[in-house]
């Protein structure tokens, strides 16, 4: 089931939206934007949860691991 969401824009923006309404489906563009933003926010939350669980589990990278890995990568080229 769908619901209606409305928001305010400056008058100039609305006039420009009206001007380009034959070239842009504003409702679809806004829907796509909101859905993508929600996907990004959920991904950030999921990552934060995973990192928190790893932190609680005592997971860590051994000291010097990053430096060693970068050097190995550089030397392999």
């Amino acid at each position: 089931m769908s619901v209606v969401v409305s928001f305010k824009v400056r008058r100039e923006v609305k006039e420009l939206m009206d001007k380009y309404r034959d070239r842009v489906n504003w409702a679809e563009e806004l829907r796509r934007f909101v859905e993508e933003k929600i996907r990004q926010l959920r991904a950030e939350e999921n990552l934060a949860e995973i990192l928190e669980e790893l932190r609680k589990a005592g997971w860590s990278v051994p000291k010097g691991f990053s430096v060693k890995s970068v050097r190995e990568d550089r030397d392999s080229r």
Side-chain angles (χ1 to χ4, degrees):
M1 177 166 77
S2 297
V3 296
V4 174
V5 176
S6 63
F7 60 97
K8 291 184 178 185
V9 295
R10 292 187 331 268
R11 184 178 310 275
E12 299 83 21
V13 171
K14 175 63 169 119
E15 290 168 358
L16 289 169
M17 288 174 72
D18 289 342
K19 177 180 177 180
Y20 296 112
R21 98 164 97 220
D22 60 327
R23 295 169 57 191
V24 178
N25 180 340
W26 293 110
E28 183 58 34
E29 290 294 323
L30 292 168
R31 260 191 301 277
R32 236 182 289 153
F33 172 80
V34 170
E35 290 170 359
E36 179 58 31
K37 189 63 174 178
I38 289 170
R39 271 192 289 280
Q40 290 173 358
L41 293 169
R42 290 180 77 187
E44 289 173 12
E45 286 178 348
N46 290 338
L47 178 60
E49 289 174 13
I50 290 168
L51 292 174
E52 180 63 19
E53 287 183 26
L54 289 173
R55 187 190 64 76
K56 285 180 182 176
W59 183 84
S60 65
V61 175
K63 186 172 174 85
F65 176 79
S66 298
V67 171
K68 181 181 173 190
S69 297
V70 169
R71 284 195 179 125
E72 286 177 1
D73 185 54
R74 288 180 183 161
D75 292 343
S76 69
R77 294 180 185 180

